Amino acid sequence: MREGPATAIRREDYAAPAFWIRSAELVFDLEPAKTIVASRLTIERNADVPEGRPLELHGEGLTLLRVLADGASVSFRHENNLLVIDQPPAAARFVLEIRNTCAPEKNTALSGLYTSGGGFFTQCEAEGFRRITYFLDRPDVMAVFTVTLRADKTRYPVLLSNGNLVETAELDNGRHLAKWHDPFPKPCYLFALVAADLVCREQRIRARSGRDHLLQVYVRRGDLGKTEHAMNSLIASVAWDEARFGLSLDLERFMIVAVSDFNMGAMENKGLNIFNTKYVLASPATATDDDFVGVESVVGHEYFHNWTGNRITCRDWFQLSLKEGLTVYRDQEFSMDMAGSPSARAVKRIGDVRALRAVQFPEDAGPMAHPVRPDSYVEINNFYTATVYEKGAEVVRMMATLVGRDGFRRGMDLYFQRHDGQAVTCDDFAQAIADANPGSALAQHLPVFKRWYAQAGTPTLQARGTHDAAARRYTLTLRQRATPSPGQPDKQPFVMPVAMGLLGADGRGLPLQLEGEAAPAGTERVLVLTQAEQSYVFEGIDAPPVPSLLRGFSAPTRLDDGLDDASLRVLLRHDADPFNRWEAGQRLTLRCMQTALRDGTAPTLTDDHIDALRGLLRHTALDAAFKEQVLSLPTESYVAEHADSVDPQRIHTVREQLRQQLAERFQADWAWAFEAHQVREGFRPEPGQAGARALANLALQMLVLQAVRTGDTVWPGRAYQRCKDAAPMAERYGALQALVDAHADLAEPALAQFRARFADEPLVIDKWFMLQAEAPEPLGSGAGRVFQRVKALMQHPDFSLKNPNRARSLLVSLCMRNPAAFHRADAAGYVFWADRVIELDALNPQLAARLARSMDRWSHLAEPWRSAAREAIARVAAKADLSNDVREIVTKALDA
Ligand code: TRP
Ligand code: ZN
């Protein structure tokens, strides 16, 4: 099953295909053990490519039954997962007929055609179609698909593929048939089929354009009651894309299908999105507020791909961010618009930046660092990364900042005018946005701006201000410095939009007048840094101001503004920009931890810091959701990213000590916060309620933590009661987490009851595993409690490595989200990691490769972790028959 030699594919080697496939007629006879695929391809020579080239079709793990060219037999050979026809018919256009089989039930990699829960599902991105039949499996080859499905009617009553249903029929032997036609030419990575016993929620809508559409959400029997939110999210997505970008649904029918075995979040197959159940199913009884938010954003994301990804697709996989960065930007904007109030929008932005820093910044600083548009890859599945997705979205966001909201809309309009129906590059996108906005900072600096696509690594933005009292002037100097990354030792400056304001001593925003301007205008500006160093002179500034820079995180950089604690407290108390207000609080807390780490002491919150935090918690005008963000500590990984030599145990100790102090010093405030944020109305997944629940949950965590330390039983008792009685999962889960994280005695009975109650809800059982794997190791009481528990849970009857959600719920949770439990001084965590990577690789290389990335940052660890980690990686790398997926990750890790 292994793919053969791992050779790197390089972006600069791109060549147009020698042949196009204009249409594909596929007939599937679906059986789990052996499915027969009959394919009829209309093939056309690419007139731009010199003649004489062989026709090379991709195919992996297939059994070929026959090949005919224009109805006659043709000679062919197999070569490294290619079917090579050296002498195809000389005509400009010919028909190739292929019959082959594949084995869906043996497909544990979940790429291509596979079975799950007794049904058939496909996943073709990036290169899964070649595991179904022979094809030119590359995104610049776009065909019109007609697909016939034949299968047993009782076992597979629902037969779906892309586009429109054109025929159904009954067949002999209890089988039936459905024929689908998709009028839009598409690359084969957007092909999908489903054959299963499913039910659906339907909704007819009339779009703004006046066109009628049928929306359907397909799930297993019994899950229909959990589809309302997905349907509402889909309806909202359709409306949003019309209103914000003038893009309407181009299909009569739009289907979403949920499947419980799925490697990623969801897939945007044309008209037939296939989703991980995690991003479809949600009911108040089974899903938390974060789950509801996740459904909305992923439904939006996949729907928005219909234009950004499907109508205009990628020329090659190096351009992946063309569709992913842009579509993440769109789903982020969608979620913000859905959230409504400026404060709820800011909370969404804070969450997105937290995620970027938690995953993308470390990626950019580690062995897998790559540009938003990578230059080479061994296995493309390894490049569905935070850099391509989340940093890619930041690059699009910067463009939008540079051309303004209306300018960005004009740019998008031009992009579709120029490229609808084509497979294009990131250059084409940037060019369209710039060309629609002549005279904008983007158009002026386009080649420099595009370095964001080409240079890896997170640059640093340094800012220093000087005040000249006599001249009433404030000079702000910005300097940028790019960091070297693998294969890119030297870098050039980026274009950075720096949104900023200046605060006076009273915290008010000062009117801004740059040198050369006639009068002050507004209190916020976007400075556009295009060189290594630039200075900006503000006039009419009486006293040294506090600069508030990079508002809303206007560029993906690390900011070094040199502000002291007192200035940060001014920003925390007064900044008009909620993002920077939150950021100031995080920085104060991070500093407090860093001081403790440096001095080998326990962290201490100063009275000033406590007053500032209490002022925020008790503030009457701020939203609960925002307060919860401000009072949540930076994660251990985030702290680790700010250290040179990482001692994961020490970071854990310091953070836990700080958590205990927060619990102790704010005890009365937490009790108040808990009581004051009880939601009395029925559960609704909206920001107001969600914020109140989030703050109440944080308060309960703190109260239980403090109670466990002092031996008090009241709050653990209340949490336990809430676990039993609380109707919404959002509250029940919060209470369970409070008990588990504090290692309260009542955690055990609460966990047992929780499992029993939700035994038939796989997504809730995933949470049950995750909660235990992510619990903080208790301080000083024989380390390793959580780690031992994870090992024991691997043997639990509900655990399985074959289901990605379940595997992630234990393994990714332990290895990537619980540093102190994972990075053990005795290296047992690393031994466990290596064993699981190897074990998983035999089943599902994509998933194994994701888990393999837990070790990306090994070279930043202190001893003894560093050597032990290296040894574990080397052990994996030494395995003979690794997948290309895992091999690429461990090889790059060892090079670090
Ligand atoms: N294109 C999908 C998205 O919306 C990503 C995806 C889904 C994927 N399944 C996959 C990528 C399997 C690689 C392999 O982001
Ligand atoms: Zn996507």
Side-chain angles (χ1 to χ4, degrees), residues 268 301-302 305 323-324 327 389:
E268 70 265 23
H301 181 96
E302 305 312 329
H305 267 316
K323 74 179 178 80
E324 296 304 347
T327 304
Y389 276 63

Side-chain angles (χ1 to χ4, degrees), residues 579-600:
F579 177 86
N580 268 8
R581 218 171 158 179
W582 166 80
E583 176 82 334
Q586 295 290 301
R587 288 174 61 188
L588 283 167
T589 312
L590 180 64
R591 269 185 200 177
C592 171
M593 288 194 245
Q594 284 172 324
T595 306
L597 287 169
R598 190 194 55 212
D599 301 346

